[in-house]
Amino acid sequence: MPRVRYHNIDNVNTDKTLKQFRQWREERRQKKKDYSYVIPNLDPDLDYLHANRHETSVTWVGHATFFIQYEGLNIVTDPVWAKRMAFSKRFGEPGIPITDIPPLDIILISHSHYDHLHIASIRKLYRTETTIIVPAGLRKKMIRKGFRRVTELQWWESTTVGGVRISFVPTQHWTRRTPFDTNTSHWGGFVLEPEIKREEGDEAGKKSDSDRLLPPNLYFAGDSGYFPGFKDIGKRFNIHVALMPIGAYEPEWFMTSQHVNPEEALQAFLDVQAETMIPMHYGTFKLADDTAQEALERMEAERRRLGIGEEQIRVLKYGETFKVQPERRSVTS
């Protein structure tokens, strides 16, 4: 029986030829890059992270790995504590040592590439109570690896864990872990929202008479090229904080279909209509030819050009925690 192969919206192709790989390799030989800038580490506030049960917090571990606290749940995105990725040594130390991560309730996997799905890291984090949420096509693989509580989602599907509604949303990307499994599982991002229970007397489909204190809706964008789906996500969800990739974009003629550049990342931030953006997916591994300094400088220049407020872009250090206060919103907002 032929294996299912997944596709991008509008069937955008991310395949590259051997000739294109050779051209990239030749271009790389001619480049002189300064990799001296390393993202700083900040000592994580472990006392706070282990004691916190109510506040929304986002702590950057590195690359696409965040430790998120949301509605009393401890969540990790795309866990990678590896010291190297293929031939690339990790720049800097993980923001939180893996042994210091509080007990996890949820692990979110955006897709199966090695820099987003590191089995050894998951084994160290996983507990029998932990739920792993993966894209369509990946559940059987995780079960074979010995993980039992695995939920698989298609694009736009949702599941609820504790008091959190988790929706799987599209990206423009691809997957492969072996020469034989290209695009046999899907790829995407996640939106976290509070699962709102209506109070007695609320009428279904109507706004409550009084607004309620609610945590922000979080959007973890995973890994993506720029595509129309960002606007679709912004129409379907009321997003407050977006964790958005800005790196691994050079050479752009090669990477454009699968990785946003910093300017496209800011446009995607505007497309999803978020209030705050936290950049990620830069400066941790040498996956392409851009540097962390270049990505940050281009993002800052484009922020100014677009007139986006400086306070709307939160550039975190490894181990730094961004705490987001709840706000009063209608239950239907």
Side-chain angles (χ1 to χ4, degrees):
M1 183 176 178
R3 303 176 77 173
V4 173
R5 304 282 174 172
Y6 293 88
H7 305 279
N8 284 307
I9 292 174
D10 298 331
N11 290 318
V12 172
N13 192 352
T14 61
D15 293 344
K16 297 295 184 291
T17 65
L18 183 59
K19 181 180 179 180
Q20 288 173 314
F21 274 101
R22 288 172 176 166
Q23 180 181 343
W24 178 16
R25 185 173 62 181
E26 183 61 29
E27 287 183 8
R28 175 174 277 186
R29 290 195 187 102
Q30 300 174 21
K31 293 177 181 177
K32 293 184 179 180
K33 291 283 187 174
D34 181 4
Y35 290 96
S36 60
Y37 173 75
V38 178
I39 297 167
N41 275 72
L42 188 70
D43 289 337
D45 190 347
L46 295 177
D47 289 340
Y48 167 80
L49 296 176
H50 279 269
N52 180 35
R53 295 294 181 271
H54 304 292
E55 289 187 328
T56 298
S57 74
V58 178
T59 305
W60 195 27
V61 176
H63 198 53
T65 307
F66 289 91
F67 174 65
I68 297 172
Q69 297 182 300
Y70 195 80
E71 290 290 86
L73 299 181
N74 291 330
I75 303 168
V76 160
T77 64
D78 289 357
V80 178
W81 269 259
K83 292 189 176 297
R84 64 174 56 248
M85 194 56 54
F87 300 107
S88 171
K89 186 177 179 181
R90 187 181 192 118
F91 296 117
E93 292 298 315
I96 308 175
I98 196 167
T99 53
D100 290 333
I101 291 288
L104 288 183
D105 300 289
I106 301 171
I107 295 173
L108 300 177
I109 305 295
S110 68
H111 64 294
S112 71
H113 278 151
Y114 282 93
D115 61 315
H116 294 259
L117 171 57
H118 186 236
I119 296 295
S121 294
I122 297 175
R123 290 197 191 284
K124 292 179 180 179
L125 295 167
Y126 186 75
R127 309 180 303 154
T128 55
E129 301 86 356
T130 306
T131 297
I132 303 178
I133 302 178
V134 301
L138 200 50
R139 182 175 184 273
K140 288 183 179 179
K141 178 182 181 65
M142 301 305 288
I143 296 283
R144 289 196 301 270
K145 293 293 184 180
F147 307 109
R148 291 291 173 258
R149 296 170 63 95
V150 183
T151 299
E152 183 176 278
L153 296 177
Q154 301 274 1
W155 282 348
W156 305 121
E157 287 186 339
S158 300
T159 187
T160 299
V161 180
V164 179
R165 181 177 176 83
I166 301 168
S167 301
F168 187 57
V169 296
T171 57
Q172 182 173 288
H173 204 58
W174 63 291
T175 61
R176 182 172 66 222
R177 290 180 75 84
T178 75
F180 312 105
D181 67 351
T182 300
N183 295 348
T184 56
S185 62
H186 222 164
W187 46 88
F190 294 93
V191 176
L192 308 183
E193 304 171 285
E195 183 70 14
I196 300 169
K197 296 180 180 178
R198 294 186 177 278
E199 296 175 356
E200 186 177 354
D202 285 353
E203 296 182 40
K206 292 186 178 181
K207 292 185 178 180
S208 174
D209 289 339
S210 60
D211 292 342
R212 302 181 193 170
L213 271 179
L214 296 173
N217 298 333
L218 304 185
Y219 168 48
F220 170 68
D223 207 351
S224 183
Y226 182 75
F227 76 130
F230 289 123
K231 291 183 179 179
D232 295 334
I233 293 166
K235 291 174 183 177
R236 292 185 183 226
F237 299 94
N238 183 17
I239 294 170
H240 301 94
V241 180
L243 314 181
M244 192 70 69
I246 67 167
Y249 56 83
E250 187 182 328
E252 294 187 42
W253 63 263
F254 188 93
M255 293 292 184
T256 186
S257 62
Q258 57 189 305
H259 290 151
V260 293
N261 62 31
E263 294 83 4
E264 291 168 332
L266 286 176
Q267 184 57 55
F269 166 63
L270 296 177
D271 288 350
V272 301
Q273 303 177 60
E275 298 171 0
T276 303
M277 170 177 151
I278 298 175
M280 64 168 181
H281 202 274
Y282 73 101
T284 305
F285 298 107
K286 186 182 177 183
L287 301 177
D289 296 343
D290 48 285
T291 70
Q293 190 69 51
E294 289 170 343
L296 290 171
E297 288 176 353
R298 283 179 58 167
M299 181 182 68
E300 174 61 13
E302 183 69 358
R303 179 196 68 77
R304 292 180 178 179
R305 189 187 76 82
L306 293 173
I308 297 173
E310 186 175 2
E311 73 285 353
Q312 291 183 265
I313 312 298
R314 297 297 300 257
V315 178
L316 299 183
K317 302 178 178 67
Y318 296 144
E320 185 174 359
T321 297
F322 175 53
K323 301 175 185 177
V324 195
Q325 298 303 314
E327 61 180 38
R328 293 201 174 275
R329 303 200 307 273
S330 164
V331 295
T332 59
S333 66

